[in-house]
Amino acid sequence: NDNDTGTGALGEEKSYINDEFLKQLDSEDDSTKLAPDVRQSFEIEVSAIRDHLLRFVCKQGESRIVDDCLVKIQSIHHDLVMNHNDAILTTDKIWLSTPPGLINLGATCYLNSQLQCLAQNLGFAHGIFSWKRRTDGAEVNSRMDRVLETMQSILARMRYGPCSIVCTNEFSAALSLENNEMQDPNEFARLLFDRMRETLRSSCIDGGDLGDLLPSIFGGSFLYITTCSECFQQTRKSEEFMEVTLPIADDVGLQQN
């Protein structure tokens, strides 16, 4: 990739990562940009992206927002196109980079599916990138520090690394996972987020904290209202949640849902 890694949309995102790790990524970029396992890309009609944005992201009539989204998408993917540096940008087509795949270490598909979703969540990625290990002598969880550090590394490679395949062995080792043992994805995410929330809550960055990162992205609250049938007085009770389970009836297909 011949683009300046310090400019554009990805340059802004990379500002969250420490300089030492960026140098490591840059060296990988130089050594692998001509390798057969380089991140792939494809060309797509701008009209197809515009239709998708109007259908799922923006409302009809919000053409300015759609145009802004297209510029952002083009800026991000332009910096990730590794095998078409000479591609000419046109008004009717743009090049999009294919996200890298993750190696299955045995039975770690549950882990890979979680990481693929998290890597595409900009708010989550930026929050994790801004985390730093505490060095002020405060009591810390060294194991979770290692987990967050390896997660930063994995997410950085997935978001703007040059390779088409990323290995999660360091992240799995930090979590002490049995690679040949399958786990329930929801239970795994619940336990991981609980431990991450504790560690992020104790981390201070520039006077702020990351304790509310996960609830602000994945959390919500139920409100239960009980009304007396005689006096109509209401009692309200709220309950926070970090996940919602949606049952699918056996006799209803996914398309109907």
Side-chain angles (χ1 to χ4, degrees):
N1 187 354
D2 294 332
N3 298 305
D4 182 1
T5 56
T7 61
L10 282 185
E12 178 182 350
E13 182 171 311
K14 284 187 178 183
S15 66
Y16 289 91
I17 308 294
N18 64 72
D19 293 336
E20 181 178 350
F21 185 67
L22 281 180
K23 291 178 181 178
Q24 180 181 348
L25 274 182
D26 289 339
S27 65
E28 292 177 359
D29 196 338
D30 291 338
S31 62
T32 61
K33 63 183 179 181
L34 299 179
D37 64 343
V38 71
R39 181 192 288 255
Q40 299 300 302
S41 58
F42 61 96
E43 198 174 25
I44 188 172
E45 298 281 348
V46 172
S47 59
I49 301 178
R50 183 180 294 275
D51 291 343
H52 178 85
L53 292 172
L54 287 173
R55 183 178 179 184
F56 298 105
V57 180
C58 306
K59 299 178 181 179
Q60 290 292 338
E62 295 181 336
S63 58
R64 180 179 176 183
I65 297 179
V66 172
D67 292 339
D68 290 342
C69 289
L70 284 171
V71 171
K72 187 73 171 179
I73 292 172
Q74 190 174 38
S75 176
I76 291 175
H77 284 270
H78 180 266
D79 290 341
L80 289 172
V81 174
M82 306 291 174
N83 57 346
H84 288 281
N85 289 327
D86 57 345
I88 300 176
L89 299 179
T90 64
T91 57
D92 58 339
K93 294 183 179 181
I94 61 175
W95 285 92
L96 297 183
S97 173
T98 303
L102 298 176
I103 296 176
N104 191 333
L105 303 177
T108 56
C109 51
Y110 68 93
L111 173 64
N112 293 353
S113 62
Q114 292 285 347
L115 289 173
Q116 289 286 12
C117 292
L118 294 176
Q120 301 306 316
N121 189 311
L122 296 181
F124 177 84
H126 290 175
I128 295 302
F129 290 157
S130 68
W131 173 84
K132 296 179 182 179
R133 180 193 289 262
R134 295 192 64 163
T135 58
D136 57 1
E139 182 178 352
V140 295
N141 186 332
S142 58
R143 179 183 177 186
M144 281 307 301
D145 283 350
R146 180 57 182 161
V147 168
L148 288 176
E149 287 173 344
T150 54
M151 177 179 281
Q152 285 180 330
S153 174
I154 292 292
L155 292 179
R157 286 174 169 81
M158 293 177 68
R159 287 201 59 78
Y160 49 77
C163 296
S164 63
I165 300 175
V166 175
C167 186
T168 62
N169 55 354
E170 291 185 359
F171 186 56
S172 175
L175 289 168
S176 299
L177 298 178
E178 295 291 339
N179 292 336
N180 293 318
E181 181 179 329
M182 183 64 184
Q183 295 192 33
D184 179 82
N186 291 334
E187 182 179 352
F188 169 77
R190 187 185 310 115
L191 293 174
L192 177 61
F193 278 12
D194 285 344
R195 299 297 180 268
M196 288 178 59
R197 190 175 181 183
E198 294 173 3
T199 303
L200 293 173
R201 188 178 292 136
S202 64
S203 302
C204 297
I205 304 296
D206 298 330
D209 70 84
L210 295 170
D212 293 329
L213 173 66
L214 299 181
S216 67
I217 298 175
F218 305 105
S221 62
F222 293 115
L223 179 62
Y224 299 94
I225 303 177
T226 304
T227 305
C228 177
S229 60
E230 296 182 359
C231 67
F232 301 104
Q233 182 177 352
Q234 292 184 338
T235 301
R236 297 169 177 257
K237 178 183 178 182
S238 61
E239 180 180 324
E240 295 183 353
F241 65 87
M242 286 287 290
E243 63 177 20
V244 176
T245 301
L246 300 177
I248 300 177
D250 294 337
D251 57 344
V252 178
L254 292 177
Q255 294 296 330
Q256 293 175 270
N257 277 312

